[in-house]
Amino acid sequence: MPRIIQARQILKRSLSNGGSTPASMDIPKGYFAVYVGEQEKKRFVVPVSILSELRFQELLHQSEQEFGYNHPMGGITIPCSEDVFTDLTSRFRIF
């Protein structure tokens, strides 16, 4: 349970630093944006329920270590390939 709380805190800090940008305006309630990629970043809109997934929490922790909380794109940046991210999230029962 503490890891879920920690993941929510990471998300809150990230969103508070990103501000309100036009890209963040089209995100439905209950979802948030993540930018995935090692070079070019692709935007994914994912449900907040993904925060309860241990593997996603690990990705958030890695993101925190690599990028901190300043996300100029207005969402969380995940430092992994799109293939890894889509493969990982396809295993979750949240979508």
Side-chain angles (χ1 to χ4, degrees):
M1 193 66 144
R3 290 184 64 90
I4 292 174
I5 294 169
Q6 183 181 21
R8 287 184 180 155
Q9 290 171 341
I10 290 170
L11 176 62
K12 284 180 185 179
R13 285 184 287 221
S14 173
L15 294 177
S16 68
N17 286 335
S20 180
T21 62
S24 67
M25 301 292 275
D26 64 345
I27 299 172
K29 185 175 183 174
Y31 290 78
F32 63 99
V34 294
Y35 293 86
V36 177
E38 296 168 308
Q39 299 293 325
E40 285 188 38
K41 307 291 187 247
K42 181 174 180 181
R43 182 176 183 250
F44 291 84
V45 177
V46 297
V48 295
S49 58
I50 199 171
L51 294 172
S52 65
E53 295 291 336
L54 180 61
R55 288 171 287 184
F56 189 77
Q57 293 171 20
E58 291 168 357
L59 281 175
L60 282 179
H61 182 70
Q62 182 181 356
S63 174
E64 174 190 4
Q65 298 301 311
E66 189 164 330
F67 296 104
Y69 293 113
N70 185 15
H71 300 279
M73 298 174 111
I76 295 174
T77 304
I78 303 289
C80 69
S81 72
E82 286 180 44
D83 292 337
V84 168
F85 183 78
T86 55
D87 181 56
L88 181 67
T89 56
S90 69
R91 298 174 193 198
F92 301 155
R93 294 186 177 154
I94 54 165
F95 291 101

